[in-house]
Amino acid sequence: MKVVQVCKYRNDTVEGVDLFEEVIRAAQGHDRSFYIFHGEAGNLGERLGCETVAFNFSKSDIKRIRPSAVLKVLRQLRRDKPDVIITHRMKPSVFVAWCALFLPGVRKISVVHNMGEFKRPRRRLFAKLLMRGWKFAACSEAVRQDMLLRGFTPDEVVAIPNSVNEKIVRDNLLDREQARRDLGVPVDAPRVIGTVGRMRPVKGHKYLIDAMRQMDNPPHVVVIGDGELLDEMREAAKQHGLADRLIFAGGRKNAYRYVSAFDAFIMPSLREGLPIAMLEAIAAGVPGYGTPVGGIPEILRDKRWLFEKESTEAVKTVLEYLGSATPEQLEETRREQYRIFDESFSIESYHARFRSLMEGGDGRL
C-alpha cells in the first residue's frame, strides 16, 4: 500500500515517543509519506525511514483553508496516489476532505486526540457532509463516547488508546541525580512529586499552589512545561513562599527523560483525552495519580489513584499521602499500574490496531 500521513506540523519537542511518528511506524513495510503543512521536516524522514513533504504553508494559509494551499496538497496526493490517508487534528482533516472529493477509492482515517474535537456544530456538519466513509480513531474510550454523543456512529469511531514505546522511554531516562539537578531539585529530597504538561488553565496547576499553601511541610513538587501561565505560576509560588518546594521548571525537549527525578507523578487536569505524560511516567516506573477526567480513569483504574478535579482539598490530601507513603506502598502501586500498562497500552498493540485500520479492518484486536 501507499500510506500518506498529514499533520499540521512536526512535533519538535519530543522524538521517538511522539504519536504522529508511532502511527506512521505502524505502516512499516508499506510505502509511506509524511506531509507537514507548517515548518520543516528536519530529520523526520531519516528517523522514520519514509519520505517527507514539507509544504511550508503560512499560518494564514492553514487557518483560512486557502484554495491555493488545498490545490497544492491535492497535486501532491495525485502524484503519490495513496491507498490510505491518515490525518491528525482538524485542519489537516479539512484539507484532505476537500482533496478527497477528487480521489475516489482512498481510505481516510482521522486520529482524534482530544475531547470535544467536534463540539462546534459547524465541525459536525462538515464531517457529516464531507467526511462520510471516514474512520475516526479516538485516542481513548472517553473520546469515542464523546464523539458518539455528538452524532457519530459506532461503525465510524473506534477507540485506539494512546501508547508509548516503553523501551525508548526507559533507554533514554536521565540518571536520577542528574535529572534532579537539572530541574533544580535537591538531590537528597526525601520525596519529589512531578508532572509534565503545558502551562495552561486546563492542566489545573493552580491547585498545586493552593494546596501547598495549606500544608506545613509539603513535599517537593516539580512542574515541567512551557506555556502562557509559566511566569504567572512562578510568581505566585514565589509570593506564597513556595519557590523552594514548588518548582516550575519550564519546557524541556523530550521531557519524559526527566521523570526519573520523581517518586510519584500527579496530574490535576480539568480535561484530558488520554495523557501521554501519564503513560510515560508509568512506563518509566513512576506511580501516577490524577483526576477522573477524559481517559485518565482508563489508565488509573483503581479509585485510590484518583482525586476530585478542581478541588484544592483533594490535591492537598493526595500530596500529603504521597509525601508520607512508604516506599513499599508506592512500589505496590507502581507494580499494579505497570501491569495495566503492559496489558492495555503496549506499543505493539497500538501498531497492530492502526495497521488493521489501514488495511481495511475495524482497528480492533
Side-chain angles (χ1 to χ4, degrees), residues 13-70:
T13 64
V14 64
E15 295 178 348
V17 294
D18 174 53
L19 288 184
F20 296 171
E21 297 186 19
E22 292 298 351
V23 171
I24 201 67
R25 280 196 182 98
Q28 275 187 321
H30 298 293
D31 186 8
R32 302 169 295 154
S33 291
F34 197 140
Y35 292 8
I36 296 167
F37 284 174
H38 181 71
E40 299 298 326
N43 66 345
L44 193 62
E46 180 182 346
R47 191 165 65 249
L48 296 175
C50 70
E51 178 192 20
T52 57
V53 179
F55 288 93
N56 293 308
F57 292 149
S58 69
K59 292 182 179 179
S60 181
D61 288 335
I62 300 168
K63 182 178 181 180
R64 297 180 182 277
I65 320 289
R66 287 212 166 98
S68 59
V70 175

CSV table of all heavy atoms in Angstrom, one decimal, residues 13-70:
chain,number,residue,atom,x,y,z
A,13,THR,N,9.2,18.9,20.0
A,13,THR,CA,9.5,18.9,21.4
A,13,THR,C,9.8,17.5,21.9
A,13,THR,O,10.3,17.4,23.1
A,13,THR,CB,8.3,19.5,22.3
A,13,THR,OG1,7.2,18.7,22.1
A,13,THR,CG2,8.0,20.9,21.8
A,14,VAL,N,9.6,16.5,21.1
A,14,VAL,CA,9.8,15.1,21.6
A,14,VAL,C,10.1,14.3,20.3
A,14,VAL,O,9.6,14.5,19.2
A,14,VAL,CB,8.6,14.6,22.3
A,14,VAL,CG1,7.4,14.4,21.3
A,14,VAL,CG2,8.9,13.2,22.9
A,15,GLU,N,11.0,13.4,20.5
A,15,GLU,CA,11.4,12.4,19.4
A,15,GLU,C,11.3,11.0,20.0
A,15,GLU,O,11.7,10.7,21.1
A,15,GLU,CB,12.9,12.7,19.0
A,15,GLU,CG,13.0,14.1,18.3
A,15,GLU,CD,14.5,14.3,17.9
A,15,GLU,OE1,15.4,13.5,18.3
A,15,GLU,OE2,14.7,15.3,17.2
A,16,GLY,N,10.8,10.1,19.1
A,16,GLY,CA,10.8,8.7,19.5
A,16,GLY,C,9.5,8.2,20.1
A,16,GLY,O,9.1,7.2,19.7
A,17,VAL,N,8.9,9.0,20.9
A,17,VAL,CA,7.7,8.6,21.6
A,17,VAL,C,6.5,9.5,21.1
A,17,VAL,O,5.4,9.5,21.8
A,17,VAL,CB,7.8,8.6,23.1
A,17,VAL,CG1,8.8,7.6,23.6
A,17,VAL,CG2,8.1,10.0,23.6
A,18,ASP,N,6.6,10.2,20.1
A,18,ASP,CA,5.6,11.0,19.5
A,18,ASP,C,4.5,10.2,18.8
A,18,ASP,O,4.9,9.3,18.0
A,18,ASP,CB,6.2,12.1,18.6
A,18,ASP,CG,5.1,12.9,17.9
A,18,ASP,OD1,4.2,13.5,18.6
A,18,ASP,OD2,5.1,13.0,16.7
A,19,LEU,N,3.3,10.4,19.0
A,19,LEU,CA,2.2,9.6,18.4
A,19,LEU,C,2.1,9.8,16.9
A,19,LEU,O,1.7,8.9,16.1
A,19,LEU,CB,0.9,9.8,19.0
A,19,LEU,CG,0.7,9.2,20.4
A,19,LEU,CD1,-0.7,9.4,21.0
A,19,LEU,CD2,1.1,7.8,20.4
A,20,PHE,N,2.4,11.0,16.4
A,20,PHE,CA,2.5,11.2,14.9
A,20,PHE,C,3.4,10.2,14.3
A,20,PHE,O,3.2,9.6,13.3
A,20,PHE,CB,3.0,12.6,14.6
A,20,PHE,CG,2.1,13.8,15.0
A,20,PHE,CD1,2.5,15.1,14.9
A,20,PHE,CD2,0.8,13.6,15.5
A,20,PHE,CE1,1.7,16.1,15.3
A,20,PHE,CE2,0.0,14.6,15.9
A,20,PHE,CZ,0.5,15.9,15.8
A,21,GLU,N,4.6,10.0,15.0
A,21,GLU,CA,5.6,9.1,14.5
A,21,GLU,C,5.1,7.7,14.6
A,21,GLU,O,5.4,6.8,13.8
A,21,GLU,CB,6.9,9.3,15.2
A,21,GLU,CG,7.5,10.7,15.0
A,21,GLU,CD,8.9,10.9,15.6
A,21,GLU,OE1,9.5,9.8,15.8
A,21,GLU,OE2,9.3,12.0,15.7
A,22,GLU,N,4.5,7.3,15.8
A,22,GLU,CA,4.1,6.0,16.0
A,22,GLU,C,3.1,5.5,15.1
A,22,GLU,O,3.0,4.3,14.7
A,22,GLU,CB,3.6,5.8,17.5
A,22,GLU,CG,4.7,6.0,18.5
A,22,GLU,CD,5.9,5.0,18.4
A,22,GLU,OE1,5.7,4.0,17.6
A,22,GLU,OE2,6.9,5.1,19.1
A,23,VAL,N,2.1,6.4,14.6
A,23,VAL,CA,1.1,5.9,13.7
A,23,VAL,C,1.7,5.6,12.3
A,23,VAL,O,1.4,4.6,11.7
A,23,VAL,CB,0.0,7.0,13.5
A,23,VAL,CG1,-0.9,6.7,12.4
A,23,VAL,CG2,-0.8,7.2,14.8
A,24,ILE,N,2.7,6.4,11.9
A,24,ILE,CA,3.3,6.1,10.6
A,24,ILE,C,4.2,4.9,10.7
A,24,ILE,O,4.4,4.1,9.8
A,24,ILE,CB,4.0,7.3,10.0
A,24,ILE,CG1,4.2,7.2,8.5
A,24,ILE,CG2,5.3,7.6,10.7
A,24,ILE,CD1,2.9,7.2,7.7
A,25,ARG,N,4.8,4.7,11.9
A,25,ARG,CA,5.6,3.4,12.1
A,25,ARG,C,4.7,2.2,12.0
A,25,ARG,O,5.2,1.1,11.6
A,25,ARG,CB,6.2,3.4,13.5
A,25,ARG,CG,7.5,4.3,13.6
A,25,ARG,CD,8.3,3.9,14.9
A,25,ARG,NE,9.4,4.8,15.0
A,25,ARG,CZ,9.5,5.8,15.8
A,25,ARG,NH1,8.4,6.2,16.5
A,25,ARG,NH2,10.6,6.6,15.9
A,26,ALA,N,3.4,2.3,12.3
A,26,ALA,CA,2.5,1.2,12.2
A,26,ALA,C,2.4,0.7,10.7
A,26,ALA,O,2.1,-0.5,10.5
A,26,ALA,CB,1.2,1.5,12.7
A,27,ALA,N,2.8,1.5,9.8
A,27,ALA,CA,2.7,1.2,8.4
A,27,ALA,C,4.0,0.7,7.8
A,27,ALA,O,4.2,0.6,6.6
A,27,ALA,CB,2.2,2.4,7.6
A,28,GLN,N,5.0,0.3,8.7
A,28,GLN,CA,6.2,-0.2,8.2
A,28,GLN,C,6.0,-1.4,7.3
A,28,GLN,O,5.2,-2.2,7.6
A,28,GLN,CB,7.2,-0.5,9.4
A,28,GLN,CG,7.9,0.7,9.9
A,28,GLN,CD,9.0,0.3,10.9
A,28,GLN,OE1,8.7,-0.6,11.7
A,28,GLN,NE2,10.1,0.9,10.9
A,29,GLY,N,6.8,-1.4,6.2
A,29,GLY,CA,6.6,-2.5,5.2
A,29,GLY,C,5.8,-2.0,4.0
A,29,GLY,O,5.8,-2.7,3.0
A,30,HIS,N,5.1,-0.9,4.2
A,30,HIS,CA,4.4,-0.2,3.1
A,30,HIS,C,5.2,1.0,2.7
A,30,HIS,O,6.1,1.5,3.3
A,30,HIS,CB,3.0,0.2,3.5
A,30,HIS,CG,2.1,-1.0,3.9
A,30,HIS,ND1,1.7,-2.0,3.0
A,30,HIS,CD2,1.6,-1.4,5.1
A,30,HIS,CE1,1.0,-2.9,3.7
A,30,HIS,NE2,0.9,-2.6,4.9
A,31,ASP,N,4.8,1.6,1.5
A,31,ASP,CA,5.4,2.8,1.0
A,31,ASP,C,4.7,4.0,1.8
A,31,ASP,O,3.5,4.1,1.7
A,31,ASP,CB,5.1,2.9,-0.5
A,31,ASP,CG,5.7,4.1,-1.2
A,31,ASP,OD1,6.5,4.8,-0.5
A,31,ASP,OD2,5.4,4.4,-2.3
A,32,ARG,N,5.5,4.8,2.5
A,32,ARG,CA,5.0,5.8,3.4
A,32,ARG,C,5.5,7.2,3.0
A,32,ARG,O,6.6,7.4,2.7
A,32,ARG,CB,5.3,5.5,4.8
A,32,ARG,CG,4.9,4.1,5.3
A,32,ARG,CD,5.5,3.7,6.6
A,32,ARG,NE,6.9,3.6,6.5
A,32,ARG,CZ,7.8,3.7,7.5
A,32,ARG,NH1,7.4,4.1,8.7
A,32,ARG,NH2,9.1,3.6,7.3
A,33,SER,N,4.6,8.2,3.2
A,33,SER,CA,5.0,9.6,3.1
A,33,SER,C,4.3,10.3,4.3
A,33,SER,O,3.2,10.0,4.7
A,33,SER,CB,4.5,10.2,1.8
A,33,SER,OG,5.2,9.7,0.7
A,34,PHE,N,5.1,11.3,4.7
A,34,PHE,CA,4.7,12.1,5.9
A,34,PHE,C,4.6,13.6,5.4
A,34,PHE,O,5.6,14.2,5.1
A,34,PHE,CB,5.7,12.0,7.0
A,34,PHE,CG,5.2,12.4,8.4
A,34,PHE,CD1,5.6,11.7,9.5
A,34,PHE,CD2,4.5,13.6,8.6
A,34,PHE,CE1,5.2,12.0,10.8
A,34,PHE,CE2,4.1,14.0,9.8
A,34,PHE,CZ,4.4,13.2,10.9
A,35,TYR,N,3.4,14.1,5.3
A,35,TYR,CA,3.2,15.5,4.9
A,35,TYR,C,3.1,16.4,6.1
A,35,TYR,O,2.4,16.1,7.1
A,35,TYR,CB,1.8,15.7,4.2
A,35,TYR,CG,1.7,15.1,2.8
A,35,TYR,CD1,2.7,14.2,2.3
A,35,TYR,CD2,0.6,15.3,2.0
A,35,TYR,CE1,2.5,13.6,1.1
A,35,TYR,CE2,0.4,14.7,0.8
A,35,TYR,CZ,1.4,13.9,0.3
A,35,TYR,OH,1.2,13.3,-0.9
A,36,ILE,N,3.8,17.6,6.0
A,36,ILE,CA,3.8,18.6,7.1
A,36,ILE,C,3.4,19.9,6.5
A,36,ILE,O,4.1,20.4,5.5
A,36,ILE,CB,5.2,18.7,7.8
A,36,ILE,CG1,5.5,17.3,8.4
A,36,ILE,CG2,5.2,19.8,8.8
A,36,ILE,CD1,6.9,17.2,8.8
A,37,PHE,N,2.4,20.6,7.0
A,37,PHE,CA,1.9,21.8,6.4
A,37,PHE,C,2.8,23.0,6.8
A,37,PHE,O,3.1,23.8,6.0
A,37,PHE,CB,0.5,22.1,6.9
A,37,PHE,CG,-0.6,21.3,6.2
A,37,PHE,CD1,-1.9,21.4,6.7
A,37,PHE,CD2,-0.3,20.5,5.2
A,37,PHE,CE1,-2.9,20.6,6.1
A,37,PHE,CE2,-1.3,19.7,4.6
A,37,PHE,CZ,-2.6,19.8,5.0
A,38,HIS,N,3.2,23.1,8.1
A,38,HIS,CA,3.9,24.3,8.6
A,38,HIS,C,5.2,23.9,9.2
A,38,HIS,O,5.2,23.0,10.0
A,38,HIS,CB,3.0,25.1,9.5
A,38,HIS,CG,3.6,26.3,10.1
A,38,HIS,ND1,3.8,27.4,9.3
A,38,HIS,CD2,4.1,26.6,11.3
A,38,HIS,CE1,4.4,28.4,10.1
A,38,HIS,NE2,4.6,27.9,11.3
A,39,GLY,N,6.3,24.6,8.9
A,39,GLY,CA,7.6,24.2,9.4
A,39,GLY,C,8.3,23.2,8.6
A,39,GLY,O,7.9,22.7,7.6
A,40,GLU,N,9.5,22.9,9.1
A,40,GLU,CA,10.4,21.9,8.4
A,40,GLU,C,10.2,20.5,8.9
A,40,GLU,O,9.8,20.3,10.0
A,40,GLU,CB,11.9,22.4,8.6
A,40,GLU,CG,12.2,23.8,8.0
A,40,GLU,CD,11.9,23.9,6.5
A,40,GLU,OE1,12.2,22.9,5.8
A,40,GLU,OE2,11.5,25.0,6.1
A,41,ALA,N,10.6,19.6,8.0
A,41,ALA,CA,10.6,18.2,8.4
A,41,ALA,C,11.8,17.7,9.2
A,41,ALA,O,11.7,16.7,9.9
A,41,ALA,CB,10.5,17.3,7.1
A,42,GLY,N,12.9,18.5,9.2
A,42,GLY,CA,14.1,18.1,9.9
A,42,GLY,C,14.6,16.7,9.5
A,42,GLY,O,14.6,16.4,8.3
A,43,ASN,N,14.9,15.9,10.5
A,43,ASN,CA,15.5,14.6,10.3
A,43,ASN,C,14.4,13.5,10.4
A,43,ASN,O,14.7,12.3,10.5
A,43,ASN,CB,16.6,14.3,11.2
A,43,ASN,CG,16.1,14.1,12.7
A,43,ASN,OD1,15.1,14.6,13.0
A,43,ASN,ND2,17.0,13.6,13.5
A,44,LEU,N,13.1,14.0,10.3
A,44,LEU,CA,12.0,13.0,10.4
A,44,LEU,C,12.0,11.9,9.5
A,44,LEU,O,11.9,10.7,9.9
A,44,LEU,CB,10.7,13.8,10.3
A,44,LEU,CG,9.4,13.1,10.7
A,44,LEU,CD1,9.4,12.9,12.2
A,44,LEU,CD2,8.2,14.0,10.4
A,45,GLY,N,12.3,12.2,8.2
A,45,GLY,CA,12.3,11.1,7.2
A,45,GLY,C,13.4,10.1,7.4
A,45,GLY,O,13.2,8.9,7.3
A,46,GLU,N,14.5,10.6,7.8
A,46,GLU,CA,15.7,9.7,8.1
A,46,GLU,C,15.4,8.8,9.3
A,46,GLU,O,15.7,7.6,9.3
A,46,GLU,CB,16.9,10.5,8.4
A,46,GLU,CG,18.2,9.7,8.7
A,46,GLU,CD,19.4,10.6,9.0
A,46,GLU,OE1,19.3,11.8,8.6
A,46,GLU,OE2,20.4,10.1,9.5
A,47,ARG,N,14.8,9.4,10.4
A,47,ARG,CA,14.5,8.6,11.6
A,47,ARG,C,13.4,7.6,11.3
A,47,ARG,O,13.4,6.5,11.9
A,47,ARG,CB,14.0,9.6,12.7
A,47,ARG,CG,14.0,9.0,14.0
A,47,ARG,CD,13.9,10.0,15.2
A,47,ARG,NE,12.7,10.8,15.1
A,47,ARG,CZ,12.7,12.1,14.9
A,47,ARG,NH1,13.8,12.7,14.6
A,47,ARG,NH2,11.5,12.8,14.9
A,48,LEU,N,12.4,7.9,10.5
A,48,LEU,CA,11.3,7.0,10.3
A,48,LEU,C,11.4,6.1,9.1
A,48,LEU,O,10.7,5.2,8.9
A,48,LEU,CB,10.0,7.8,10.2
A,48,LEU,CG,9.6,8.6,11.4
A,48,LEU,CD1,8.3,9.4,11.1
A,48,LEU,CD2,9.3,7.7,12.6
A,49,GLY,N,12.4,6.4,8.2
A,49,GLY,CA,12.6,5.7,7.0
A,49,GLY,C,11.5,5.9,6.0
A,49,GLY,O,11.0,4.9,5.3
A,50,CYS,N,11.0,7.1,5.9
A,50,CYS,CA,9.9,7.4,5.0
A,50,CYS,C,10.1,8.7,4.3
A,50,CYS,O,11.0,9.5,4.7
A,50,CYS,CB,8.5,7.4,5.7
A,50,CYS,SG,8.2,8.8,6.8
A,51,GLU,N,9.4,9.0,3.2
A,51,GLU,CA,9.5,10.2,2.5
A,51,GLU,C,8.8,11.3,3.3
A,51,GLU,O,7.8,11.0,4.0
A,51,GLU,CB,8.8,10.1,1.1
A,51,GLU,CG,8.8,11.4,0.3
A,51,GLU,CD,7.9,11.4,-0.9
A,51,GLU,OE1,7.0,10.5,-0.9
A,51,GLU,OE2,8.1,12.2,-1.8
A,52,THR,N,9.3,12.5,3.3
A,52,THR,CA,8.6,13.6,3.9
A,52,THR,C,8.4,14.7,2.9
A,52,THR,O,9.2,15.0,2.0
A,52,THR,CB,9.5,14.2,5.1
A,52,THR,OG1,10.8,14.6,4.7
A,52,THR,CG2,9.6,13.2,6.2
A,53,VAL,N,7.3,15.4,3.1
A,53,VAL,CA,6.9,16.5,2.2
A,53,VAL,C,6.6,17.7,3.1
A,53,VAL,O,5.6,17.6,3.8
A,53,VAL,CB,5.8,16.2,1.3
A,53,VAL,CG1,5.4,17.4,0.4
A,53,VAL,CG2,6.1,15.0,0.4
A,54,ALA,N,7.3,18.8,3.1
A,54,ALA,CA,7.1,20.0,3.9
A,54,ALA,C,6.5,21.1,2.9
A,54,ALA,O,7.2,21.5,2.0
A,54,ALA,CB,8.3,20.5,4.5
A,55,PHE,N,5.3,21.4,3.1
A,55,PHE,CA,4.6,22.4,2.2
A,55,PHE,C,5.0,23.8,2.5
A,55,PHE,O,4.8,24.7,1.7
A,55,PHE,CB,3.1,22.2,2.3
A,55,PHE,CG,2.6,21.0,1.6
A,55,PHE,CD1,2.4,19.8,2.4
A,55,PHE,CD2,2.3,20.9,0.3
A,55,PHE,CE1,2.0,18.6,1.8
A,55,PHE,CE2,1.9,19.7,-0.3
A,55,PHE,CZ,1.7,18.6,0.4
A,56,ASN,N,5.4,24.1,3.7
A,56,ASN,CA,5.8,25.5,4.1
A,56,ASN,C,4.7,26.5,4.0
A,56,ASN,O,4.9,27.6,3.6
A,56,ASN,CB,7.0,25.9,3.3
A,56,ASN,CG,8.3,25.1,3.7
A,56,ASN,OD1,8.6,25.0,4.9
A,56,ASN,ND2,8.9,24.6,2.7
A,57,PHE,N,3.5,26.0,4.3
A,57,PHE,CA,2.3,26.9,4.3
A,57,PHE,C,2.5,28.0,5.5
A,57,PHE,O,3.0,27.7,6.5
A,57,PHE,CB,1.0,26.2,4.5
A,57,PHE,CG,0.6,25.3,3.4
A,57,PHE,CD1,-0.1,24.1,3.6
A,57,PHE,CD2,0.9,25.6,2.1
A,57,PHE,CE1,-0.5,23.3,2.6
A,57,PHE,CE2,0.5,24.8,1.0
A,57,PHE,CZ,-0.2,23.6,1.3
A,58,SER,N,1.9,29.1,5.2
A,58,SER,CA,1.9,30.1,6.3
A,58,SER,C,0.7,29.7,7.3
A,58,SER,O,-0.2,29.0,6.9
A,58,SER,CB,1.6,31.5,5.8
A,58,SER,OG,0.3,31.6,5.2
A,59,LYS,N,0.8,30.3,8.5
A,59,LYS,CA,-0.3,30.0,9.4
A,59,LYS,C,-1.7,30.5,8.9
A,59,LYS,O,-2.7,29.9,9.1
A,59,LYS,CB,0.0,30.7,10.8
A,59,LYS,CG,1.1,30.0,11.5
A,59,LYS,CD,1.4,30.7,12.8
A,59,LYS,CE,2.5,30.0,13.6
A,59,LYS,NZ,2.8,30.7,14.9
A,60,SER,N,-1.6,31.6,8.1
A,60,SER,CA,-2.9,32.1,7.5
A,60,SER,C,-3.4,31.1,6.4
A,60,SER,O,-4.6,30.9,6.3
A,60,SER,CB,-2.6,33.5,6.9
A,60,SER,OG,-3.8,34.0,6.3
A,61,ASP,N,-2.5,30.5,5.6
A,61,ASP,CA,-2.9,29.5,4.6
A,61,ASP,C,-3.7,28.4,5.3
A,61,ASP,O,-4.7,27.9,4.8
A,61,ASP,CB,-1.7,28.9,4.0
A,61,ASP,CG,-1.0,29.8,3.0
A,61,ASP,OD1,-1.6,30.7,2.5
A,61,ASP,OD2,0.2,29.6,2.8
A,62,ILE,N,-3.2,28.0,6.5
A,62,ILE,CA,-3.9,26.8,7.2
A,62,ILE,C,-5.2,27.3,7.8
A,62,ILE,O,-6.2,26.6,7.7
A,62,ILE,CB,-2.9,26.2,8.2
A,62,ILE,CG1,-1.6,25.8,7.5
A,62,ILE,CG2,-3.5,25.1,9.0
A,62,ILE,CD1,-0.5,25.4,8.4
A,63,LYS,N,-5.1,28.4,8.5
A,63,LYS,CA,-6.3,28.9,9.3
A,63,LYS,C,-7.4,29.2,8.4
A,63,LYS,O,-8.6,28.8,8.7
A,63,LYS,CB,-5.9,30.1,10.1
A,63,LYS,CG,-7.0,30.7,10.9
A,63,LYS,CD,-6.6,31.9,11.8
A,63,LYS,CE,-7.7,32.4,12.6
A,63,LYS,NZ,-7.3,33.6,13.4
A,64,ARG,N,-7.2,29.8,7.2
A,64,ARG,CA,-8.2,30.2,6.3
A,64,ARG,C,-8.6,29.1,5.3
A,64,ARG,O,-9.4,29.3,4.4
A,64,ARG,CB,-7.8,31.5,5.6
A,64,ARG,CG,-7.6,32.6,6.5
A,64,ARG,CD,-7.2,33.9,5.8
A,64,ARG,NE,-7.0,35.0,6.7
A,64,ARG,CZ,-8.0,35.8,7.2
A,64,ARG,NH1,-9.2,35.6,6.8
A,64,ARG,NH2,-7.7,36.8,8.0
A,65,ILE,N,-7.8,28.0,5.3
A,65,ILE,CA,-8.0,26.9,4.3
A,65,ILE,C,-8.0,27.5,2.9
A,65,ILE,O,-9.0,27.4,2.1
A,65,ILE,CB,-9.4,26.1,4.6
A,65,ILE,CG1,-9.6,25.9,6.0
A,65,ILE,CG2,-9.3,24.8,3.8
A,65,ILE,CD1,-8.7,24.9,6.7
A,66,ARG,N,-6.9,28.2,2.6
A,66,ARG,CA,-6.8,28.8,1.3
A,66,ARG,C,-6.9,27.8,0.1
A,66,ARG,O,-6.2,26.8,0.2
A,66,ARG,CB,-5.6,29.6,1.2
A,66,ARG,CG,-5.6,30.9,2.0
A,66,ARG,CD,-4.7,32.0,1.4
A,66,ARG,NE,-5.0,33.3,2.0
A,66,ARG,CZ,-4.3,33.8,3.0
A,66,ARG,NH1,-3.2,33.2,3.5
A,66,ARG,NH2,-4.6,35.0,3.5
A,67,PRO,N,-7.8,28.1,-0.9
A,67,PRO,CA,-7.9,27.1,-2.0
A,67,PRO,C,-6.5,26.8,-2.7
A,67,PRO,O,-6.3,25.7,-3.1
A,67,PRO,CB,-8.8,27.9,-3.0
A,67,PRO,CG,-9.7,28.7,-2.1
A,67,PRO,CD,-8.7,29.2,-1.0
A,68,SER,N,-5.7,27.8,-2.8
A,68,SER,CA,-4.4,27.6,-3.4
A,68,SER,C,-3.6,26.5,-2.6
A,68,SER,O,-2.8,25.7,-3.2
A,68,SER,CB,-3.6,28.9,-3.5
A,68,SER,OG,-3.4,29.5,-2.2
A,69,ALA,N,-3.7,26.6,-1.3
A,69,ALA,CA,-3.0,25.6,-0.4
A,69,ALA,C,-3.6,24.2,-0.6
A,69,ALA,O,-2.9,23.2,-0.7
A,69,ALA,CB,-3.0,26.0,1.0
A,70,VAL,N,-4.9,24.1,-0.6
A,70,VAL,CA,-5.6,22.9,-0.8
A,70,VAL,C,-5.2,22.3,-2.2
A,70,VAL,O,-4.9,21.1,-2.3
A,70,VAL,CB,-7.1,23.0,-0.7
A,70,VAL,CG1,-7.9,21.7,-1.1
A,70,VAL,CG2,-7.6,23.5,0.6
